[in-house]
Amino acid sequence: MERRDRSVKALEELIYIDSLDSYERADALVRWYNKYLSSADISEFDLDKSDLEKLLELFYKNINFLKNHKAQTRKDMIDNKKLQRFLGN
């Protein structure tokens, strides 16, 4: 039962994280990963089929979000460096 409760809690947290703003969402996803997947495997989750489908959907959605967020962050950093050079710092 403990494994099931942990799995449901992980899913609920991932659903909540999905509603956050961009930078908060990225940080929360890192914390979620460290909490639930860094020391355990995804196969240890004990969820019903419908919950597993939600988890799968959120996984793919968040992977795409992180790819886009990484690209946007990289672009922002390049723009900041150009601005710093322009200002002479």
Side-chain angles (χ1 to χ4, degrees):
M1 192 62 166
E2 181 179 314
R3 194 171 106 178
R4 169 99 175 120
D5 292 341
R6 183 176 176 353
S7 301
V8 170
K9 184 177 178 186
L11 178 61
E12 289 172 353
E13 286 183 24
L14 196 56
I15 291 170
Y16 169 73
I17 290 169
D18 192 49
S19 68
L20 296 175
D21 292 332
S22 183
Y23 284 97
E24 292 174 349
R25 184 175 172 192
D27 291 339
L29 285 170
V30 170
R31 286 191 305 273
W32 185 90
Y33 170 81
N34 288 334
K35 184 175 181 180
Y36 292 105
L37 295 179
S38 65
S39 61
D41 191 35
I42 190 73
S43 62
E44 294 180 17
F45 277 37
D46 182 17
L47 296 169
D48 297 331
K49 183 181 179 196
S50 62
D51 290 338
L52 281 172
E53 289 171 348
K54 287 179 192 175
L55 184 67
L56 177 68
E57 178 185 335
L58 288 169
F59 255 72
Y60 284 111
K61 184 178 179 183
N62 285 315
I63 287 170
N64 287 330
F65 162 77
L66 287 172
K67 287 178 183 178
N68 293 335
H69 182 72
K70 177 183 171 186
Q72 182 61 44
T73 302
R74 183 176 182 278
K75 182 183 174 299
D76 291 346
M77 289 176 66
I78 290 169
D79 291 345
N80 285 340
K81 284 183 181 182
K82 287 179 183 178
L83 185 59
Q84 285 178 343
R85 274 189 244 130
F86 176 74
L87 294 174
N89 290 335

